[in-house]
Structures are given as structure tokens and as C-alpha cells.
Amino acid sequence: MTNPYQQAFETSLKDPVAFWGEAAQGIHWDKPWDKVLDDTHAPFYRWFVGAETNTCYNAVDRHVADGRGDQAAIIYDSPVSGTKRIITYTELQDQVSRLAGGLAGLGVTKGDRVLLYMPMIPEAVIGMLAAARLGAIHTVVFGGFAPSELATRINDAAPKVILSASCGIEGSRVLPYKPMLDQAIDLSAHKPGHTVIYQRPQAVADMKAGVDLDWTELTAASEPHACVTVKATDPLYILYTSGTTGQPKGVVRDNGGHMVALKWTMSAIYDIKPGEVFWAASDVGWVVGHSYICYAPLLHGATTVVYEGKPVGTPDAGAFWRMIAEYKVSALFTAPTAFRAIKREDPDAKLLQQYDLSSLRTLFLAGERSDPDTINWASSNLKVPVIDHWWQTETGWAIAANCMGLHQFPVKPGSPTKPVPGWGLEVLDESHQPCEPGKVGSLVVRLPLPPGALVTLWNADQRCHDSYYSEFPGYYKTADAGYIDEDGYAYVMARTDDIINVAGHRLSTGAMEEVLASHPDVAECAVIGVADQLKGQLPLGFVCLKAGVSKSHEQVIKEVVQLVRERIGPVAAFKTCTVVARLPKTRSGKILRGTMQKIADNQDFKMPATIDDPAILDEIEESLESVGYAKARKEAGQ
Ligand code: COA
Ligand code: AMP
């Protein structure tokens, strides 16, 4: 007998038009669609062609009209600033519509870009919704990126207005944002017309007359602006993510398909009802923050949580438990690294015993591979199902999950369970043939991708095609390797490109190499991701110096570490680098990063047949030992 998951999965692939047409009933449309799916520009598919709608209306106004005005829309809790605030749907509507009015007064109209560089305060969500209300396209840049990364995004998105705050707060450190924003605008060829700054008392920003506007004053002085009707296929946002080079990829999401998919996931995957509290402990700067702090919970009429703090240290490893108990959180979604951090501080979960966590039904984990230890620790202490699910910035929502609202499968630690309805997940080998169950290959998704997945890359259709559709015609390439077992469970093993995952944050080692290579003393370099008990992976650099460099190795290392922090930002967590005489390469000159990574992580490796000089691997091993890696190899006599 088929269960509801099986039924939904099969229908979604056999008849996506019927499946998503049905799911679309959950959304308010100003005008219905002419066609659910337009495949005339495959592999670029479009959903709900001809329909008109507004995302902000569906996320905010609709709930006020339906009588949810007094319900909490956003719970803001900031242990780092000692602030708590509940914003009802009515208040949210007022603030969003006034900010939209202010933005309209600055000339923002449909299709214009609005960039946000914001800490985790409710104004970040308000800013996104205000842009959506006007049919403008928002692009949020994570606060941990440095000014030059911000400048790259300003240049590419060419925003008319930038929304920011005077500072962010990281643990006990106040980080002034405005000087970084000013520096980024100086570096950027594109200049926004205005910046709107939310002043926080922890560090009040200096404002430039005529250019910088005060958020609170602008909002207070503006009339509420109505929702602007847009096409379902118009872009809602651009979210930049790491590609294999220093130039980030601007993932474009549409309005209609995005709403349909996200609203559907709230019940099908997360089993959340309108009115319940759903907490995604991430950051609005990441896709998880876009989908599950801002849009999905609000589209569903649930209550979302904006938490400005860490899992540990703000003030202790009981921070998450306090939040769950205080706000009666039904589902928590975070990255495994957060639980590793909590487990490290409070291995016996003593702090957890002090709180009433009876509201919590499920813990969802994503962003990186969930290690079985973390899953077991979390499920035995929380006594709720711990659901790993796998997704990417590009996909916007989970490709594989245990769909709690459809059918709960037994958890197999290490697997995000089964492909979610909509995702025709397959595993292909190098000759594009399907792999047997259990055999590792490329994880690919048969086209069309479901609604809510990327539409294209901003200003870069060809790059989108080359990155995702060209290698496996008819499929989307996830760039993750993995397998599907005999029970249909998916396993995600590793990226097939040079993306690494640090504390659930996606980073490009290629981008870090570009920074190292720009140092005047560096002749050649490589960056690899090495295993880390807390953050999953950490970047580790190797540099070969130019002939005649007289500086000490320590000095060069200090400088390149600082350079990555300045150019990419603290989020890169690039702290370890070593100087080597040569890098191991194939005879055709390709650096053997994979082999270096295996040595660093004490894994077995096969000597690459095409290696130019095997002796270099011994040099690499020695150098890795000097920075605390590859030690177990020698002990094991490998
Ligand atoms: N603005 C400015 N700086 C930021 C920042 C922000 N929004 N976010 C992180 N940083 C800084 C950190 O302060 C740190 O700086 P440091 O090198 O001076 O100490 C650096 O970037 C690295 O940050 P991170 O890798 O997050 O390490 P951390 O030690 O601050 O915290 C965890 C580690 C595990 C507690 C934290 O990463 C976490 O809670 N992760 C789970 C949730 C999550 O974010 N998931 C994302 C996808 S779901
Ligand atoms: P991002 O685009 O930042 O969400 O990062 C996406 C990448 O993170 C994926 O391609 C995977 O490599 C990794 N990832 C995300 N979730 C999981 C998961 N549940 N299991 C394994 N890897 C994951």
C-alpha cells in the first residue's frame, strides 16, 4: 500500500502540472495562471506563467485580512543586546508598508534592486518584505562578509537603495557596519542613490547628509504603500552564493513558484500549522534565512523567530533551550555545527534539564552533513525526531528529507532520508549511466526542477547553463556526490567542486586561492577543506613563495591570513596556512588538492597515476604535521 509520501512523490514527478497546480491553491493570486509549467525554454523552466500576485501580500496582508492581525508574526530575541520584541501581523503590515512607502519615495519601483546588509534584527525581514511589496528585487548580503565581497555584490546587482544598520553584535563584540558599507560603496563602480540606516544604540553611525537616511525617520514620515502586483515569473530576490571562482553566483528566485513551494513545505516537510512557532536558527544572509526565517513561516501564517545570538556563549549552552521554552517553539531548524558547539560545552545536556521543552516536536538539521554522533546526542536528549535534510542555495528548499507531514520514515543517521516530492533525484556515474543502489556517483535532479528552485543566475544565463545543466543534459547537477541505498534513502557524501562547508556556511576555496595569489610574495598556492570537529570543515592554505623573499614564513602567513579576512571576511574562518617549497601536481599541472586533503584528514589514498613527483607528497605531509594535521598517519605507520 502506498503511503501519502509515496503517493505525493509519484504524482509530483508523473504529473507536476496537476501536483503544483493543486499546491498553488494555498496562495492568493491577483490573476490566475495561463499555464502551470512553461517548458518552451528548457532547461530554463518557468512556473505559473501568466499569473499575477504579490509575495508580501501573501506573507503579511492576507493574514491581517483573514483575522490573524493580533497573532505574533515575528518574535525577536537578542541576548546580545538585551532586547525582546513581539511584532504582530498588523504591526508588521504597518512597518513594512511604511518602509515600502519610504523606498517608493526614493524612487524604488518594480524591478529595481534593493540591497540589504543587516544583522539579525526584525528590520532585516521588514526590509525584504518592503522590497517585495514594491515588486523590487532584494539581495541580502551576510554581515560576516568583508567590504570587498559586499562591493562585488553591489556592482553586480546595481541596487538603487541599500538598507543597513549602524552595527551588528557578535557575542560581546559590537561591529560597526556603516564604515564597512561606506568602504564597499567606495570600492564599487556602481553607486546606490541612497542608503537607509537603522540606528542602533550600541554604535550610532555617522550619516552623510543627502545620501544616508535614518530608517526610523523615513518610516515615520512615509505613508503606507499598497502591494504592487507582479508577474509570478518576476524575480523576487537575488541571493549570492559561492561559486568556484571569486565571482559569486547570483541565484534568482521568482515570486509565484517560490511561494507555492515554500508554503507547501511548511506542512508537508515541517508539519507546522498556521499559528505555531517555527524557529530557523540561521541568518537572513543565507538561503535558510530567506526561506525559513522570512518567507515560508510568514506565507503559512506561522510565527517566525529572529534570534540575534549564538548557540553557546550568549550567555551559555542553554540559549536554544531557553528560547524553545520561552516561546513554545514547535520546530527548530539549525545546522549540525550549532549542536556540536552545544554538545562541546555541555556534553551531559545538564542545562537542557532546566527547561520545559514539551512544545518541541521536531529538530531539523541542514547546511552540512549531519554526523551520527550529533544526531544521536540531539535525539537522546531532546527526545524528539531529529530530521536531517539536504538542500542548497540554488534549490531554495529541501531536495531530500523525511517529510514529517506526509509520512515519517525511520531515521538512518547519515542520510537525509528520501527525495522530497518534486525532486527527481538520481545518481549517475561518469558515463552518465544510473548507479546501482549503494554506489557513489553524481547526485543529479531530472528536469524540470520544481517551483521555488533557481530560475537563473543574475545577468548570467550562460553561466547558469554551464554550471548546472550542461554536464548532464536533461538534469540539474547538484555538484554533490552521494548514493541512494536499496531502501531509497539518499546519502550526500561530498562536493564534487571546490566548495567547502564551514560551520554550515558555504565557501569557495577557489576564491580564497585568488586572495592568496594576490599577495606579492606568493608564487603559487592551494586551499583545501580539512575536517574539523566543531565546524565540519575548515580551510587550510599552502603557499609557495617567490624566489628572493626575505620575510620570515610566519610573517607571510600572518599577512595572507589577514588578507583573506579583509577581502572575504571573518566568515571564511581562514586561520591556518603553511609555506611549502612545491605543490603536488599531475604531469599536466593540475594541483592534487584531493590527495592533500586525504593526507591532512588521515585518510587512505591511492597514489595518483598521473602524479609528476611523488616525493612532494612527503613534503606536504611534513608541512601538514607542523600545523597539527596528518599526525595519525605517521602513528598508524601509513
Ligand atoms: N557578522 C559579522 N561577523 C560574523 C557574522 C556576522 N553576521 N557571523 C559570523 N561572523 C564572524 C564570527 O564572529 C567569527 O569571527 P572571528 O573569527 O573573529 O571569531 C567568524 O565570522 C566565523 O564565524 P563562525 O564560523 O560562525 O564561528 P563562530 O565561532 O562565531 O560560531 C557556531 C560557531 C557553530 C556557534 C556558529 O557558526 C553557528 O551557530 N552556526 C550554526 C547556525 C548557522 O549559522 N547556520 C547557517 C546555515 S543553516
Ligand atoms: P548552501 O548553498 O550554503 O546551502 O550549501 C549547500 C551545500 O551544503 C550542499 O551542496 C551540500 O554540499 C551541503 N549540505 C547542505 N545540507 C546538507 C545535508 N543535509 N547533508 C549533507 N550536505 C549538506
Side-chain angles (χ1 to χ4, degrees), residues 329-389:
V329 171
S330 297
L332 168 64
F333 175 170
T334 191
T337 187
F339 268 74
R340 288 197 295 268
I342 296 169
K343 186 172 93 178
R344 195 165 72 164
E345 294 281 309
D346 183 16
D348 300 325
K350 290 212 175 76
L351 289 166
L352 190 145
Q353 314 306 329
Q354 299 172 11
Y355 296 93
D356 172 7
L357 305 186
S358 55
S359 64
L360 189 73
R361 288 200 301 272
T362 328
L363 169 67
F364 293 91
L365 297 175
E368 57 176 323
R369 199 171 145 73
S370 281
D371 50 295
D373 268 3
T374 303
I375 294 195
N376 293 336
W377 186 86
S379 59
S380 62
N381 286 301
L382 287 172
K383 302 188 173 51
V384 297
V386 177
I387 306 301
D388 178 16
H389 58 330

Side-chain angles (χ1 to χ4, degrees), residues 9-135:
F9 181 70
E10 280 164 20
T11 315
S12 73
L13 297 190
K14 268 194 216 129
D15 193 354
V17 167
F19 185 84
W20 292 113
E22 167 79 26
Q25 303 304 326
I27 296 300
H28 171 86
W29 304 93
D30 295 333
K31 176 179 171 287
W33 53 87
D34 302 321
K35 228 176 167 184
V36 171
L37 176 64
D38 174 8
D39 58 5
T40 51
H41 297 90
F44 295 89
Y45 293 83
R46 295 188 310 161
W47 289 94
F48 305 105
V49 176
E52 292 178 356
T53 186
N54 181 281
T55 295
C56 181
Y57 178 81
N58 275 282
V60 183
D61 301 59
R62 184 183 184 190
H63 304 307
V64 178
D66 288 352
R68 279 191 188 279
D70 294 338
Q71 183 198 305
I74 300 177
I75 293 168
Y76 169 54
D77 189 299
S78 167
V80 294
S81 66
T83 320
K84 293 178 186 183
R85 218 165 111 199
I86 306 276
I87 301 173
T88 64
Y89 271 103
T90 302
E91 287 162 350
L92 185 61
Q93 184 183 36
D94 180 62
Q95 294 189 30
V96 169
S97 59
R98 282 181 191 281
L99 178 62
L103 291 175
L106 299 178
V108 175
T109 56
K110 199 193 281 193
D112 284 340
R113 269 79 59 213
V114 174
L115 185 142
L116 289 90
Y117 187 56
M118 300 284 292
M120 278 295 287
I121 56 177
E123 283 67 25
V125 174
I126 291 169
M128 293 161 81
L129 293 166
R133 193 172 189 87
L134 296 174

Side-chain angles (χ1 to χ4, degrees), residues 501-523:
N501 207 305
V502 178
H505 307 144
R506 170 168 160 179
L507 297 165
S508 158
T509 53
M512 291 185 220
E513 287 180 1
E514 283 177 25
V515 177
L516 298 190
S518 73
H519 187 283
D521 298 333
V522 171

Side-chain angles (χ1 to χ4, degrees), residues 49-337:
V49 176
E52 292 178 356
T53 186
N54 181 281
T55 295
C56 181
Y57 178 81
N58 275 282
V60 183
D61 301 59
R62 184 183 184 190
H63 304 307
V64 178
D66 288 352
R68 279 191 188 279
D70 294 338
Q71 183 198 305
I74 300 177
I75 293 168
Y76 169 54
D77 189 299
S78 167
V80 294
S81 66
T83 320
K84 293 178 186 183
R85 218 165 111 199
I86 306 276
I87 301 173
T88 64
Y89 271 103
T90 302
E91 287 162 350
L92 185 61
Q93 184 183 36
D94 180 62
Q95 294 189 30
V96 169
S97 59
R98 282 181 191 281
L99 178 62
L103 291 175
L106 299 178
V108 175
T109 56
K110 199 193 281 193
D112 284 340
R113 269 79 59 213
V114 174
L115 185 142
L116 289 90
Y117 187 56
M118 300 284 292
M120 278 295 287
I121 56 177
E123 283 67 25
V125 174
I126 291 169
M128 293 161 81
L129 293 166
R133 193 172 189 87
L134 296 174
I137 303 165
H138 63 69
T139 182
V140 183
V141 181
F142 177 62
F145 281 121
S148 55
E149 287 288 318
L150 177 56
T152 307
R153 287 152 175 83
I154 294 174
N155 254 336
D156 198 59
K160 197 171 252 180
V161 171
I162 295 183
L163 301 176
S164 189
S166 57
C167 66
I169 308 170
E170 273 289 296
S172 56
R173 285 177 298 156
V174 173
L175 304 175
Y177 271 27
K178 183 66 175 14
M180 293 197 278
L181 177 59
D182 288 343
Q183 201 186 333
I185 295 172
D186 281 349
L187 286 170
S188 167
H190 172 83
K191 308 291 174 199
H194 291 279
T195 51
V196 179
I197 308 294
Y198 185 79
Q199 291 281 21
R200 306 185 76 190
Q202 292 80 7
V204 175
D206 291 335
M207 306 284 264
K208 280 193 218 123
V211 181
D212 298 329
L213 301 167
D214 182 282
W215 183 303
T216 313
E217 286 170 14
L218 178 76
T219 308
S222 302
E223 288 300 316
H225 199 291
C227 293
V228 173
T229 297
V230 297
K231 289 193 202 121
T233 49
D234 281 341
L236 169 70
Y237 73 74
I238 307 165
L239 178 58
Y240 288 92
T241 188
S242 299
T244 49
T245 65
Q247 180 66 29
K249 292 167 161 174
V251 168
V252 177
R253 200 91 61 206
D254 65 9
N255 276 274
H258 175 247
M259 280 196 282
V260 171
L262 288 195
K263 167 113 181 58
W264 177 83
T265 64
M266 285 304 286
S267 38
I269 299 180
Y270 300 101
D271 192 24
I272 289 291
K273 288 174 203 60
E276 291 188 319
V277 180
F278 182 82
W279 177 24
S282 177
D283 188 288
V284 283
W286 306 115
V287 68
V288 174
H290 279 62
S291 296
Y292 292 104
I293 294 175
C294 182
Y295 287 111
L298 297 179
L299 288 167
H300 198 51
T303 299
T304 190
V305 180
V306 173
Y307 171 69
E308 188 181 28
K310 301 262 173 188
V312 293
T314 57
D316 56 28
F320 276 19
W321 322 139
R322 179 201 45 97
M323 290 286 295
I324 295 167
E326 192 165 333
Y327 302 112
K328 302 202 172 10
V329 171
S330 297
L332 168 64
F333 175 170
T334 191
T337 187

